[in-house]
Amino acid sequence: MHFIAILGLVISIGSCAALDQSPSGKSSWTGKLLVVPMDGSHWTGVKAVAEEMGRRGHTVIVVIPEFSIRMGPGKHYITKTFPVSYGQDLFNQIMVDHVRELTAPGQSLLKSVTSKVDFFKKIFNLMASTTESLFKNQELIEFLREQNFDAVLTDPALPMGPILALNLSVPAVYMLRGLPCDAAATARPDPPSYIPRFFTQNSDRMSFGQRVMNVLVSMLEPLECTVVYWFFEEVASNFLQRDVSLDEILSTGAVWLMRYDFTLEFPKPLMPNMHLIGGINCEIKNPLTKGDNQAHRGSRCQENNFLSRNMRLTVILCLVISIVSCAALEQSLSGKSSWTGKLLVVPMDGSHWTGVKAVAEEMGRRGHTVIVVIPEISMRLGPGKHYITKIFTVPYELELINEILTEHVHELTTSGKSLLESVTSIVGNMLKMFNLMASSSESLFKSQELIEFLREQNFDAVLTDPALPMGPILAFNLSVPAVYMLRGLPCGLDVVATACPEPLSYIPRFKTQTACLLVSA
């Protein structure tokens, strides 16, 4: 449970999701987070998370070498330094050589490649030396082992953190933009005919020649990773006292916080334990406090806006994420938390109910109070073993639902209709469905007794499918943060609400049956 809470906080801080928050931002429960950062620009985001976690009352210990480019002490975390076999002069020399390489004009291809290889060799030798120095520091390693950390936050571009997390048997949270050979560790699909390879400067819209080159580069990546990381595997094997590969080490990561934005870069398949936190992060325009009835006017996006969160909501959100994505989270055998919260579920009927019901059941099974609000007449909605059902009356009968479904099936299975007949039939059936949804929403909002009951519950979050706006409207009225579970909205409301970039030249439109691969260059 401690790891779940730590993970929820890290995700909420890293992604800056627009969630309800307490004025102090501190939780009644405090955990322990070990941070093993990478130097340079990689340190910026990790430091912000470490500072914010410490500010919220958690014990945060950051392990850094005595010499670095940017890393150092902070106001809200504890720093543990360890000696290394190099001095500041080596850093300065590497950076001078790098700047000279970037600014030198008119270099031949051979000279340019040689310079870059030499620079990266120096960098990785430095990283390997740092890793070896830490693992040989028995006093510091023993101190870290005694802390019983709940999670390790690290950047796997420097494998020192993942190796240490594996040795300490502590779940690792990775914060990175990407690795040239991370696909094997995450087990995500990575077809070279579609996914651009590292350093090729290709996009997902490649010509035939680019695809051929992309495939060739992908064949060299295993060799590249072996050459770059072989020393880390040797150090890790000595430290862990068994043979171990980099893939095995990285695959133990519980969650990958990816610092890139899916809509601004080329598409990459995501696995259940991968979360996008970079590029587009959200800022609350009008933050709500508990019981505040002012209108929440939505959110717009801004990077590195680290806001305080209500701890109860954080745990609720993290549990929802973990259940939906089946992320590898540490939990007790019973799966129940020592703390229990309140979740309101406002589902949509039909196939949309399947996933939401599974979350409602699991949240209830874990000891949380889950109340599901449903109409008295529906296709699939109904009671469950682990949640409470609250029913409201509606002005229609089951026959109307059956009629709409029958017409829908008839439309799907009937051939030979003219275009006008087909469009008229589809539009007519959709109007009936949306009228039914509107009628259901109106009936709920007119049920003053039920609305007052829900208001008195002081829910920590609302789980809903925004395809039926009844849930978002109710969450808005109750001043409770909403967690949306959806595939998408046909009229682009989800894009507008999230301020997500959606260039028409690249993003296929709903119902057009086009895909990224079919868009001409």
Side-chain angles (χ1 to χ4, degrees), residues 316 319-321 323-324 341-347 352-374 381-389 462-464 485:
I316 282 280
L319 282 172
V320 170
I321 292 175
I323 294 167
V324 174
K342 286 188 175 183
L343 178 67
L344 172 61
V345 179
V346 186
H352 295 240
W353 166 236
T354 307
V356 173
K357 181 181 180 181
V359 174
E361 285 279 17
E362 182 63 13
M363 293 290 284
R365 189 187 68 80
R366 296 191 184 194
H368 301 275
T369 300
V370 180
I371 296 180
V372 181
V373 175
I374 61 176
L381 304 176
K385 183 178 179 181
H386 299 289
Y387 59 81
I388 302 167
T389 306
V462 175
L463 175 64
T464 187
M485 188 172 177

Side-chain angles (χ1 to χ4, degrees), residues 96-114:
V96 168
D97 292 343
H98 183 47
V99 172
R100 184 183 298 119
E101 163 63 26
L102 293 175
T103 57
Q107 284 188 338
S108 65
L109 177 61
L110 179 60
K111 176 64 176 175
S112 178
V113 171
T114 303

Side-chain angles (χ1 to χ4, degrees), residues 303-314:
E303 195 164 321
N304 295 327
N305 179 30
F306 297 97
L307 305 173
S308 33
R309 301 286 181 265
N310 180 290
M311 183 60 187
R312 294 186 299 168
L313 171 63
T314 301

Side-chain angles (χ1 to χ4, degrees), residues 190-198 200 202-203 206-224:
D190 200 38
S193 60
Y194 178 66
I195 303 298
R197 316 318 289 184
F198 210 65
T200 61
N202 290 334
S203 72
M206 292 177 275
S207 66
F208 177 75
Q210 288 174 323
R211 292 184 192 279
V212 172
M213 181 58 66
N214 209 52
V215 172
L216 293 177
V217 172
S218 71
M219 296 170 65
L220 294 175
E221 280 182 352
L223 176 61
E224 173 193 358

Side-chain angles (χ1 to χ4, degrees), residues 426-469:
I426 292 173
V427 171
N429 203 48
M430 287 184 65
L431 284 175
K432 289 182 181 179
M433 182 61 71
F434 281 108
N435 286 337
L436 191 72
M437 291 163 56
S439 175
S440 180
S441 300
E442 188 175 26
S443 297
L444 170 62
F445 299 150
K446 285 183 177 180
S447 180
Q448 293 299 321
E449 183 179 351
L450 177 56
I451 295 296
E452 191 57 37
F453 166 81
L454 297 177
R455 194 181 308 281
E456 293 170 355
Q457 303 308 304
N458 292 318
F459 290 104
D460 299 299
V462 175
L463 175 64
T464 187
D465 187 325
L468 173 61

